[in-house]
């Protein structure tokens, strides 16, 4: 049994929380020991970490994390950093060793700026929208398998942002993803108020119109609680985007709980490739016909896992996904 399958087998599904068309199902399980790392937000606030360009000239797909803390720092797949020459998102989760400077792989989410507005980058308090994370994650897995690099398709990342901005009638002089969130901050707050962590919640599985949108799992409940607002903003932006589309005939979907159980079952059975991590641990890349994603593992401990329906990484948004159809088949066998 793989570490992902083994970890998922120890979890249970909590009670669904729903706001508008977005549903959160908590993933419940005992914390796997004390979290012996700091999250980036905490490290930056404590003044023992800095995130900078790799040089005065800078390069788009890389940043440097200077960790002067006594503990490793955990940076999470998709979380956004703003400032320096342009805003970026993490291409995958990285555990930066204590007392080290580590170069991390990132993608730009601000196509129209390449000039420094600050010497260092700061946390934006959000993750990239879920559909964009899915496509980025899939491309990073392809890049790692084919070329040994952790690159996204940068043009695709920019196109995702541009198309979403057009649909959501958001304008930005630098084509920044940040504008999407600021333009809809009041509506996003409704989702933040509706979704709260529960006891022993180590993860969150989000569904949009009863179809799985994203799944994030952590080793510790405290990590999940601290990160949940970023994930809510990520998925809520996709929910607002979907609500602006022309309504189509409703498809028949399984319940949120059935869809969630089916997704986790497929995820547990999906092939995983293992690579040395950028910092500490190992990168696990999840690549299958129905699920895509990645995970960070250290000493047989799953620190962070993120997974998405493969259809989301292919841009299929308006018709029932492969995972939804798999969920219907799963329900038929129940």
């Amino acid at each position: 049994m793989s570490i992902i399958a083994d970890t998922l087998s120890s979890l249970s599904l909590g009670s669904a929380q729903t706001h508008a068309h977005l549903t959160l199902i908590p993933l419940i399980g005992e914390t796997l020991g004390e979290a012996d790392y700091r999250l980036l937000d905490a490290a930056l606030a404590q003044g023992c970490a800095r995130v900078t360009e790799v040089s005065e000239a800078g390069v788009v797909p890389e940043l440097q994390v200077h960790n002067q803390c006594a503990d490793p720092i955990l940076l999470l797949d998709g979380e956004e950093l703003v400032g320096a020459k342009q805003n970026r998102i993490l291409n995958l989760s990285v555990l930066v060793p204590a007392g080290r400077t580590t170069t991390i792989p990132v993608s730009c989410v601000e196509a129209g700026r390449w000039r420094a507005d600050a010497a260092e980058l700061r946390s934006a308090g959000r993750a990239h929208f879920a559909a964009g994370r899915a496509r980025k994650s899939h491309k990073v897995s392809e890049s790692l398998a084919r070329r040994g690099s952790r690159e996204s398709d940068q043009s695709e990342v920019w196109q995702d942002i541009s198309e979403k901005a057009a649909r959501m009638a958001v304008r930005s002089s630098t084509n920044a993803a940040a504008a999407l969130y600021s333009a809809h901050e009041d509506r996003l707050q409704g989702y933040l108020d509706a979704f709260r962590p529960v006891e022993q919640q180590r993860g969150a599985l989000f569904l949009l119109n009863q179809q799985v949108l994203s799944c994030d799992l952590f080793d510790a409940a405290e990590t999940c609680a601290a990160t949940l607002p970023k994930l809510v903003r990520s998925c809520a932006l996709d929910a607002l985007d979907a609500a602006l589309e022309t309504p189509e005939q409703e498809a028949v979907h399984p319940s949120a709980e059935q869809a969630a159980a089916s997704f986790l079952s497929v995820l547990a059975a999906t092939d995983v490739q293992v690579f040395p991590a950028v910092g500490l641990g190992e990168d696990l890349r999840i690549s299958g016909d129905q699920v895509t994603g990645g995970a960070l593992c250290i000493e047989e401990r799953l620190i962070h896992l993120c997974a998405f329906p493969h259809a989301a990484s292919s841009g299929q948004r308006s018709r029932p996904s492969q995972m939804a159809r798999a969920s219907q088949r799963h329900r038929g066998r129940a």
Side-chain angles (χ1 to χ4, degrees):
M1 180 180 289
S2 73
I3 187 171
I4 291 178
D6 187 49
T7 303
L8 293 177
S9 70
S10 69
L11 303 175
S12 60
L13 300 180
S15 299
Q17 304 173 21
T18 299
H19 181 74
H21 300 294
L22 188 65
T23 296
L24 182 160
I25 296 184
L27 301 177
I28 307 298
E30 292 186 4
T31 291
L32 302 178
E34 183 180 356
D36 51 0
Y37 51 79
R38 306 185 196 197
L39 291 172
L40 178 62
D41 287 8
L44 291 174
Q46 292 158 6
C48 59
R50 297 183 299 120
V51 183
T52 67
E53 300 289 352
V54 297
S55 65
E56 184 176 350
V59 294
V60 171
E62 292 181 341
L63 293 172
Q64 283 189 333
V65 180
H66 309 269
N67 182 6
Q68 300 168 319
C69 305
D71 306 306
I73 299 174
L74 179 61
L75 294 90
L76 298 171
D77 178 288
E79 71 176 322
E80 185 175 348
L81 300 167
V82 297
K85 289 181 177 291
Q86 58 186 192
N87 301 347
R88 318 295 221 290
I89 57 170
L90 267 290
N91 280 0
L92 74 178
S93 294
V94 177
L95 194 60
V96 177
R100 294 272 298 276
T101 293
T102 300
T103 300
I104 59 172
V106 294
S107 298
C108 170
V109 288
E110 188 180 18
R113 180 172 70 94
W114 186 248
R115 62 185 183 279
D117 67 359
E120 301 177 7
L121 293 98
R122 60 192 183 279
S123 171
R126 58 179 173 264
H128 196 49
F129 52 86
R133 279 184 74 199
R135 285 186 280 276
K136 181 267 305 168
S137 181
H138 181 63
K139 293 298 185 181
V140 169
S141 293
E142 284 188 342
S143 174
L144 193 50
R146 294 177 180 177
R147 301 183 295 276
S149 66
R150 294 168 170 84
E151 299 172 357
S152 68
D153 182 334
Q154 183 60 72
S155 295
E156 184 178 67
V157 173
W158 285 331
Q159 182 178 356
D160 273 352
I161 296 167
S162 179
E163 291 177 353
K164 188 177 284 287
R167 288 192 303 270
M168 302 184 76
V170 174
R171 292 179 174 82
S172 165
S173 61
T174 60
N175 300 312
L180 295 165
Y181 297 89
S182 60
H184 294 277
E185 183 59 36
D186 290 345
R187 299 178 70 189
L188 291 173
Q189 187 60 48
Y191 291 88
L192 291 167
D193 294 339
F195 297 131
R196 301 289 183 178
V198 300
E199 187 175 356
Q200 289 193 310
Q201 180 178 348
R202 281 178 41 208
L205 206 158
F206 288 91
L207 300 95
L208 179 56
N209 293 324
Q210 304 293 76
Q211 297 183 63
V212 173
L213 181 61
S214 71
C215 175
D216 282 85
L217 175 66
F218 305 92
D219 64 330
E222 62 185 287
T223 304
C224 181
T227 306
L228 191 61
K230 295 187 179 186
L231 301 177
V232 170
R233 286 188 174 92
S234 166
C235 294
L237 192 71
D238 279 341
L240 293 177
D241 184 10
L244 295 172
E245 293 182 342
T246 302
E248 296 184 359
Q249 184 176 357
E250 285 293 325
V252 177
H253 300 306
S255 71
E257 290 78 6
Q258 289 170 325
S262 179
F263 179 84
L264 294 177
S265 177
V266 172
L267 173 58
T270 300
D271 290 339
V272 174
Q273 291 182 290
V274 182
F275 302 88
V278 171
L280 300 173
E282 295 177 319
D283 286 334
L284 280 56
R285 302 311 301 176
I286 304 162
S287 184
D289 292 337
Q290 299 182 58
V291 180
T292 189
L296 176 63
C297 175
I298 184 168
E299 297 177 352
E300 296 301 312
R301 177 176 174 181
L302 200 63
I303 303 298
H304 177 224
L305 174 148
C306 60
F308 313 88
H310 186 66
S313 70
S314 303
Q316 302 169 15
R317 300 176 58 252
S318 61
R319 57 183 181 273
S321 68
Q322 292 173 315
M323 187 56 60
R325 293 192 291 272
S327 299
Q328 291 169 338
R329 292 194 297 272
H330 174 82
R331 179 174 57 169
R333 293 194 299 268

Coordinates of all heavy atoms in Angstrom, one line a residue, residues 16-86:
A16 N -20.6 17.9 5.9 CA -20.5 18.9 4.9 C -20.9 20.3 5.3 O -21.9 20.4 6.0 CB -21.3 18.4 3.6
Q17 N -20.1 21.3 4.9 CA -20.5 22.7 5.0 C -20.7 23.2 3.6 O -19.9 23.0 2.7 CB -19.3 23.4 5.7 CG -18.9 22.8 7.1 CD -17.7 23.5 7.6 OE1 -17.4 24.7 7.3 NE2 -17.0 22.8 8.5
T18 N -21.8 24.0 3.4 CA -22.1 24.5 2.1 C -22.4 26.0 2.2 O -23.1 26.4 3.1 CB -23.3 23.7 1.5 OG1 -23.0 22.3 1.4 CG2 -23.7 24.2 0.1
H19 N -21.9 26.7 1.2 CA -22.3 28.1 1.0 C -22.5 28.3 -0.5 O -21.6 28.0 -1.3 CB -21.2 29.0 1.5 CG -21.5 30.5 1.3 ND1 -22.5 31.1 2.1 CD2 -21.1 31.4 0.4 CE1 -22.5 32.4 1.7 NE2 -21.7 32.6 0.7
A20 N -23.7 28.7 -0.9 CA -24.0 28.8 -2.3 C -23.8 27.5 -3.0 O -24.3 26.5 -2.6 CB -23.2 30.0 -3.0
H21 N -23.0 27.4 -4.1 CA -22.8 26.2 -4.8 C -21.5 25.5 -4.4 O -21.2 24.5 -5.0 CB -22.8 26.4 -6.3 CG -24.0 27.1 -6.8 ND1 -25.2 26.4 -6.8 CD2 -24.3 28.3 -7.4 CE1 -26.2 27.2 -7.3 NE2 -25.6 28.3 -7.7
L22 N -20.8 26.0 -3.4 CA -19.6 25.4 -2.9 C -19.8 24.6 -1.6 O -20.4 25.1 -0.7 CB -18.5 26.5 -2.7 CG -17.1 26.0 -2.5 CD1 -16.5 25.3 -3.7 CD2 -16.2 27.2 -2.1
T23 N -19.2 23.4 -1.6 CA -19.3 22.5 -0.4 C -17.9 22.1 0.0 O -17.0 21.8 -0.8 CB -20.1 21.2 -0.8 OG1 -21.5 21.6 -1.1 CG2 -20.1 20.3 0.4
L24 N -17.7 22.2 1.3 CA -16.5 21.7 1.9 C -16.8 20.5 2.8 O -17.7 20.5 3.6 CB -15.9 22.8 2.8 CG -14.5 22.5 3.5 CD1 -13.9 23.8 3.9 CD2 -14.6 21.6 4.8
I25 N -16.1 19.4 2.5 CA -16.2 18.2 3.4 C -14.8 18.1 4.1 O -13.8 17.8 3.5 CB -16.5 16.9 2.6 CG1 -17.8 17.1 1.9 CG2 -16.4 15.7 3.4 CD1 -18.3 15.9 1.1
P26 N -14.9 18.2 5.5 CA -13.6 18.0 6.2 C -13.1 16.6 6.2 O -13.9 15.6 6.1 CB -14.1 18.4 7.7 CG -15.3 19.1 7.5 CD -16.0 18.6 6.3
L27 N -11.8 16.5 6.1 CA -11.1 15.2 6.2 C -10.6 15.1 7.6 O -9.7 15.9 8.1 CB -10.0 15.1 5.2 CG -10.4 15.2 3.7 CD1 -9.2 15.2 2.8 CD2 -11.4 14.2 3.3
I28 N -11.1 14.1 8.4 CA -10.9 14.0 9.8 C -9.9 12.9 10.1 O -10.0 11.7 9.6 CB -12.2 13.7 10.6 CG1 -13.2 14.7 10.2 CG2 -11.9 13.7 12.1 CD1 -12.9 16.2 10.5
G29 N -8.9 13.1 11.0 CA -7.9 12.1 11.4 C -7.0 12.7 12.4 O -6.8 13.9 12.6
E30 N -6.4 11.8 13.2 CA -5.4 12.2 14.2 C -4.2 12.8 13.6 O -3.7 12.4 12.6 CB -5.0 11.0 15.0 CG -6.2 10.4 15.9 CD -5.7 9.3 16.8 OE1 -4.5 9.0 16.8 OE2 -6.5 8.7 17.5
T31 N -3.7 13.9 14.2 CA -2.5 14.5 13.8 C -1.3 13.6 13.9 O -1.2 12.8 14.9 CB -2.2 15.8 14.6 OG1 -3.2 16.8 14.3 CG2 -0.9 16.4 14.4
L32 N -0.5 13.6 12.9 CA 0.7 12.6 12.8 C 1.9 13.2 13.6 O 2.9 13.5 13.0 CB 1.0 12.4 11.4 CG -0.1 11.8 10.5 CD1 0.4 11.6 9.1 CD2 -0.6 10.5 11.0
G33 N 1.7 13.4 14.9 CA 2.8 14.0 15.7 C 2.8 15.5 15.6 O 2.0 16.1 14.8
E34 N 3.6 16.1 16.4 CA 3.7 17.6 16.4 C 4.3 18.1 15.1 O 5.2 17.6 14.6 CB 4.5 18.0 17.6 CG 4.6 19.5 17.8 CD 5.5 19.9 18.9 OE1 5.9 19.0 19.7 OE2 5.7 21.2 19.1
A35 N 3.7 19.2 14.6 CA 4.2 19.8 13.3 C 5.5 20.5 13.7 O 5.6 21.5 14.4 CB 3.2 20.8 12.8
D36 N 6.6 19.9 13.2 CA 8.0 20.4 13.5 C 8.5 21.3 12.4 O 9.7 21.2 12.1 CB 8.9 19.2 13.8 CG 8.9 18.2 12.6 OD1 8.1 18.4 11.7 OD2 9.6 17.2 12.7
Y37 N 7.7 22.2 11.9 CA 8.0 23.2 10.9 C 7.2 24.4 11.2 O 6.3 24.4 12.0 CB 7.8 22.6 9.5 CG 6.4 22.1 9.4 CD1 5.3 22.9 9.1 CD2 6.1 20.7 9.4 CE1 4.0 22.4 9.0 CE2 4.8 20.2 9.3 CZ 3.8 21.1 9.1 OH 2.5 20.6 9.0
R38 N 7.5 25.5 10.5 CA 6.7 26.7 10.6 C 6.1 26.9 9.2 O 6.8 26.7 8.2 CB 7.6 27.9 11.0 CG 8.3 27.7 12.3 CD 9.1 29.0 12.7 NE 10.1 28.6 13.7 CZ 10.7 29.5 14.5 NH1 10.3 30.8 14.4 NH2 11.6 29.2 15.4
L39 N 4.9 27.4 9.2 CA 4.4 27.8 7.9 C 5.0 29.2 7.5 O 5.5 29.9 8.4 CB 2.8 28.0 8.0 CG 2.1 26.7 8.2 CD1 0.6 26.9 8.5 CD2 2.2 25.8 6.9
L40 N 5.0 29.4 6.2 CA 5.7 30.6 5.7 C 5.1 31.9 6.4 O 5.9 32.8 6.7 CB 5.5 30.7 4.2 CG 6.2 32.0 3.6 CD1 7.7 32.0 3.8 CD2 5.9 32.0 2.1
D41 N 3.8 32.0 6.5 CA 3.2 33.2 7.1 C 3.8 33.5 8.5 O 4.1 34.6 8.8 CB 1.7 33.1 7.1 CG 1.0 33.2 5.8 OD1 1.8 33.2 4.8 OD2 -0.2 33.3 5.7
A42 N 3.9 32.4 9.3 CA 4.4 32.6 10.6 C 5.8 33.0 10.6 O 6.3 33.9 11.4 CB 4.2 31.3 11.4
A43 N 6.6 32.3 9.8 CA 8.1 32.6 9.7 C 8.3 34.1 9.2 O 9.2 34.8 9.8 CB 8.7 31.7 8.7
L44 N 7.5 34.6 8.3 CA 7.7 35.9 7.8 C 7.3 36.9 9.0 O 8.0 37.9 9.2 CB 6.8 36.2 6.6 CG 7.2 35.5 5.3 CD1 6.2 35.7 4.2 CD2 8.6 36.0 4.8
A45 N 6.2 36.6 9.7 CA 5.7 37.5 10.7 C 6.8 37.5 11.9 O 6.9 38.5 12.6 CB 4.4 37.0 11.3
Q46 N 7.4 36.4 12.1 CA 8.4 36.3 13.2 C 9.8 36.9 12.8 O 10.7 37.0 13.6 CB 8.6 34.9 13.6 CG 7.3 34.3 14.3 CD 7.3 32.8 14.2 OE1 8.2 32.1 13.8 NE2 6.1 32.2 14.7
G47 N 9.9 37.3 11.5 CA 11.1 37.9 11.1 C 12.3 37.0 10.9 O 13.5 37.5 10.7
C48 N 12.1 35.7 10.8 CA 13.2 34.8 10.6 C 13.3 34.2 9.2 O 14.0 33.2 9.0 CB 13.2 33.7 11.7 SG 11.7 32.7 11.7
A49 N 12.5 34.8 8.3 CA 12.5 34.3 6.9 C 12.3 35.5 6.0 O 11.7 36.5 6.3 CB 11.4 33.3 6.7
R50 N 12.9 35.3 4.8 CA 12.7 36.3 3.7 C 12.6 35.6 2.4 O 13.2 34.5 2.2 CB 13.9 37.2 3.6 CG 14.2 38.1 4.8 CD 15.4 39.1 4.6 NE 16.6 38.4 4.3 CZ 17.3 38.5 3.2 NH1 16.9 39.3 2.2 NH2 18.4 37.8 3.0
V51 N 11.8 36.1 1.5 CA 11.6 35.6 0.2 C 12.0 36.7 -0.8 O 11.5 37.8 -0.8 CB 10.2 35.1 -0.1 CG1 10.1 34.5 -1.5 CG2 9.7 34.1 0.9
T52 N 13.0 36.4 -1.7 CA 13.5 37.4 -2.6 C 13.7 36.8 -4.0 O 13.5 35.6 -4.2 CB 14.9 37.9 -2.1 OG1 15.9 36.8 -2.3 CG2 14.9 38.3 -0.7
E53 N 14.0 37.7 -5.0 CA 14.4 37.3 -6.3 C 15.7 36.6 -6.1 O 16.5 36.7 -5.1 CB 14.6 38.5 -7.2 CG 13.3 39.3 -7.4 CD 12.3 38.6 -8.3 OE1 12.6 37.5 -8.8 OE2 11.2 39.2 -8.4
V54 N 16.1 35.7 -7.1 CA 17.3 35.0 -7.0 C 18.6 35.8 -7.2 O 19.7 35.4 -6.9 CB 17.3 33.8 -8.0 CG1 16.2 32.8 -7.7 CG2 17.2 34.3 -9.4
S55 N 18.4 37.0 -7.8 CA 19.5 37.9 -8.1 C 18.9 39.3 -8.3 O 17.6 39.5 -8.4 CB 20.3 37.5 -9.3 OG 19.5 37.6 -10.5
E56 N 19.7 40.3 -8.5 CA 19.2 41.6 -8.8 C 18.4 41.6 -10.1 O 17.4 42.3 -10.2 CB 20.3 42.6 -8.9 CG 19.9 44.1 -9.1 CD 21.0 45.1 -9.0 OE1 22.1 44.7 -8.7 OE2 20.7 46.3 -9.4
A57 N 18.9 40.9 -11.1 CA 18.1 40.8 -12.4 C 16.9 40.0 -12.2 O 15.9 40.3 -12.9 CB 19.1 40.2 -13.4
G58 N 16.9 38.9 -11.5 CA 15.8 38.0 -11.3 C 15.5 37.1 -12.5 O 15.9 37.4 -13.6
V59 N 14.8 36.0 -12.2 CA 14.3 35.2 -13.3 C 12.8 34.8 -12.9 O 12.5 34.6 -11.7 CB 15.1 33.9 -13.4 CG1 16.5 34.2 -13.9 CG2 15.2 33.1 -12.1
V60 N 12.0 34.7 -13.9 CA 10.5 34.5 -13.7 C 10.3 33.2 -12.9 O 9.5 33.3 -11.9 CB 9.8 34.5 -15.0 CG1 8.3 34.0 -14.8 CG2 9.8 35.8 -15.6
P61 N 10.8 32.0 -13.2 CA 10.3 30.8 -12.6 C 11.0 30.4 -11.3 O 10.9 29.3 -10.8 CB 10.6 29.7 -13.7 CG 11.8 30.2 -14.4 CD 11.8 31.7 -14.3
E62 N 11.8 31.3 -10.7 CA 12.5 31.0 -9.4 C 12.5 32.1 -8.4 O 12.6 33.3 -8.8 CB 13.9 30.6 -9.7 CG 14.1 29.3 -10.5 CD 15.6 28.9 -10.7 OE1 16.4 29.8 -10.6 OE2 15.8 27.7 -11.0
L63 N 12.4 31.8 -7.2 CA 12.6 32.7 -6.1 C 13.6 32.0 -5.1 O 13.8 30.8 -5.1 CB 11.3 33.1 -5.4 CG 10.3 33.9 -6.2 CD1 9.0 34.0 -5.5 CD2 10.8 35.3 -6.5
Q64 N 14.1 32.8 -4.1 CA 14.9 32.3 -3.0 C 14.2 32.5 -1.7 O 13.6 33.6 -1.4 CB 16.3 32.9 -3.0 CG 17.2 32.4 -4.1 CD 18.6 32.8 -3.9 OE1 18.9 33.9 -3.3 NE2 19.6 32.0 -4.4
V65 N 14.2 31.4 -0.9 CA 13.7 31.5 0.5 C 14.9 31.5 1.4 O 15.7 30.5 1.4 CB 12.7 30.4 0.8 CG1 12.2 30.5 2.3 CG2 11.5 30.4 -0.1
H66 N 15.1 32.5 2.3 CA 16.2 32.6 3.2 C 15.6 32.2 4.6 O 14.9 33.0 5.2 CB 16.8 34.0 3.2 CG 17.1 34.5 1.9 ND1 18.4 34.3 1.3 CD2 16.4 35.2 0.9 CE1 18.4 34.9 0.1 NE2 17.2 35.4 -0.1
N67 N 15.9 31.0 5.1 CA 15.3 30.5 6.3 C 16.4 30.7 7.4 O 17.3 29.9 7.5 CB 14.9 29.0 6.2 CG 14.3 28.5 7.4 OD1 14.1 29.3 8.4 ND2 14.0 27.2 7.5
Q68 N 16.1 31.7 8.3 CA 17.0 31.9 9.5 C 16.3 31.4 10.7 O 16.8 31.7 11.8 CB 17.3 33.4 9.6 CG 18.1 33.9 8.3 CD 18.2 35.4 8.3 OE1 17.2 36.1 8.6 NE2 19.3 35.9 7.9
C69 N 15.2 30.6 10.6 CA 14.5 30.1 11.7 C 15.2 28.9 12.3 O 16.1 28.3 11.6 CB 13.1 29.7 11.3 SG 12.1 31.1 10.5
A70 N 14.8 28.5 13.4 CA 15.4 27.2 14.0 C 14.7 26.0 13.5 O 15.2 24.9 13.8 CB 15.2 27.3 15.6
D71 N 13.6 26.2 12.7 CA 12.8 25.0 12.2 C 12.7 25.2 10.7 O 12.9 26.2 10.1 CB 11.4 25.0 12.8 CG 11.4 25.0 14.3 OD1 12.0 24.1 14.9 OD2 10.7 25.9 14.9
P72 N 12.5 24.0 10.0 CA 12.1 24.1 8.6 C 10.9 25.0 8.3 O 10.1 25.2 9.2 CB 11.9 22.7 8.2 CG 12.6 21.9 9.2 CD 12.4 22.7 10.5
I73 N 10.8 25.5 7.1 CA 9.6 26.3 6.7 C 8.9 25.6 5.6 O 9.5 25.1 4.7 CB 10.0 27.7 6.3 CG1 10.7 28.5 7.4 CG2 8.8 28.5 5.8 CD1 11.3 29.8 6.9
L74 N 7.5 25.4 5.8 CA 6.7 24.8 4.8 C 6.0 25.8 4.0 O 5.3 26.7 4.5 CB 5.7 23.9 5.5 CG 4.7 23.2 4.6 CD1 5.4 22.2 3.7 CD2 3.6 22.4 5.4
L75 N 6.3 25.7 2.7 CA 5.6 26.6 1.7 C 4.7 25.6 0.9 O 5.1 24.5 0.5 CB 6.6 27.3 0.7 CG 7.5 28.3 1.4 CD1 8.8 27.7 1.9 CD2 7.9 29.4 0.4
L76 N 3.5 26.1 0.6 CA 2.5 25.2 0.0 C 2.2 25.4 -1.4 O 2.1 26.5 -1.9 CB 1.2 25.3 0.9 CG 1.4 25.0 2.3 CD1 0.1 25.4 3.1 CD2 1.6 23.5 2.5
D77 N 1.9 24.3 -2.1 CA 1.5 24.4 -3.5 C 0.5 25.4 -3.7 O -0.6 25.4 -3.1 CB 1.0 23.0 -3.9 CG 0.5 22.9 -5.3 OD1 -0.5 23.5 -5.6 OD2 1.2 22.3 -6.2
G78 N 0.7 26.3 -4.7 CA -0.3 27.3 -5.1 C -0.4 28.5 -4.3 O -1.1 29.5 -4.7
E79 N 0.2 28.6 -3.1 CA 0.1 29.8 -2.3 C 0.8 31.0 -3.0 O 1.8 30.8 -3.6 CB 0.5 29.6 -0.9 CG 2.0 29.5 -0.6 CD 2.3 29.4 0.9 OE1 1.6 30.1 1.7 OE2 3.1 28.6 1.3
E80 N 0.2 32.2 -2.9 CA 0.7 33.3 -3.7 C 1.6 34.2 -2.8 O 1.3 34.5 -1.7 CB -0.5 34.1 -4.2 CG -0.1 35.2 -5.1 CD -1.2 36.0 -5.8 OE1 -2.4 35.5 -5.7 OE2 -1.0 37.1 -6.3
L81 N 2.7 34.7 -3.5 CA 3.6 35.6 -2.9 C 3.5 36.9 -3.8 O 3.6 36.8 -5.0 CB 5.0 35.1 -2.9 CG 5.2 33.8 -2.0 CD1 6.5 33.1 -2.3 CD2 5.0 34.1 -0.6
V82 N 3.5 38.0 -3.1 CA 3.4 39.3 -3.9 C 4.5 40.2 -3.6 O 5.1 40.2 -2.5 CB 2.0 40.0 -3.6 CG1 0.9 39.1 -4.1 CG2 1.9 40.3 -2.1
G83 N 4.9 41.0 -4.6 CA 6.0 42.0 -4.4 C 7.1 41.7 -5.3 O 7.0 41.0 -6.3
A84 N 8.3 42.2 -5.0 CA 9.5 42.1 -5.8 C 9.2 42.5 -7.2 O 8.5 43.5 -7.5 CB 10.1 40.7 -5.7
K85 N 9.7 41.7 -8.2 CA 9.5 42.2 -9.6 C 8.1 41.8 -10.2 O 7.6 42.4 -11.1 CB 10.6 41.6 -10.5 CG 12.0 42.2 -10.3 CD 13.0 41.6 -11.2 CE 14.3 42.3 -11.0 NZ 14.4 43.7 -11.5
Q86 N 7.5 40.7 -9.6 CA 6.2 40.3 -10.0 C 5.6 39.3 -9.0 O 6.4 38.6 -8.3 CB 6.1 39.7 -11.4 CG 7.0 38.5 -11.6 CD 7.2 38.0 -13.0 OE1 7.7 37.0 -13.2 NE2 6.7 38.8 -14.0

